Amino acid sequence: MAASSDVLQGTLDLLVLKALALAPMHGWGISQRIQQLSRDALRIGQGSLYPALYRLERKGFVKSDWSTTENNREAKYYQLTAAGRRALSSEQREWRRFADAVDLVLVAEG
């Protein structure tokens, strides 16, 4: 898969929620974690990530606080809320259902 910031439409929120389910992180950390977990297949640009974080925060799925990074810099850390955990669970089910349906089409013969 080519490295791209063009994450399938509708999957960015799911990826961000999943990254934050693993640990609270700042924006750069979230994009690095997604890249690492996808084995460099997915790269999330700042221009996509921060609008997603803003959208998720507005929905009450994440909350943020300023804190000091491991490099002694101030950064906004994001963490999942209880509503965010429920949304992640729901979106994971929907994604698996979608992926299974696509797979059924791809393996079809004749």
Side-chain angles (χ1 to χ4, degrees):
M1 179 184 298
S4 172
S5 62
D6 295 330
V7 177
L8 281 174
Q9 188 171 2
T11 60
L12 180 57
D13 289 2
L14 172 61
L15 296 173
V16 170
L17 290 173
K18 178 60 183 178
L20 290 174
L22 301 173
M25 288 179 244
H26 48 69
W28 187 81
I30 294 167
S31 66
Q32 291 300 301
R33 188 71 170 141
I34 291 170
Q35 184 175 336
Q36 174 195 28
L37 292 171
S38 71
R39 298 181 186 158
D40 289 328
L42 301 174
R43 295 178 188 208
I44 310 300
Q46 308 284 312
S48 299
L49 178 63
Y50 285 100
L53 286 168
Y54 178 74
R55 184 173 52 250
L56 292 169
E57 193 167 26
R58 217 178 49 222
K59 290 179 178 177
F61 296 164
V62 302
K63 64 181 183 179
S64 63
D65 291 301
W66 288 94
S67 188
T68 305
T69 69
E70 58 280 355
N71 296 328
N72 212 23
R73 292 183 173 173
E74 287 290 310
K76 201 172 192 180
Y77 277 76
Y78 297 88
Q79 65 181 20
L80 221 51
T81 64
R85 290 194 187 286
R86 289 190 297 273
L88 172 60
S89 179
S90 173
E91 290 201 29
Q92 281 180 311
R93 280 193 305 274
E94 287 298 314
W95 175 256
R96 286 192 178 107
R97 193 168 61 92
F98 174 78
D100 288 346
V102 170
D103 195 46
L104 288 172
V105 173
L106 294 178
V107 298
E109 294 181 18

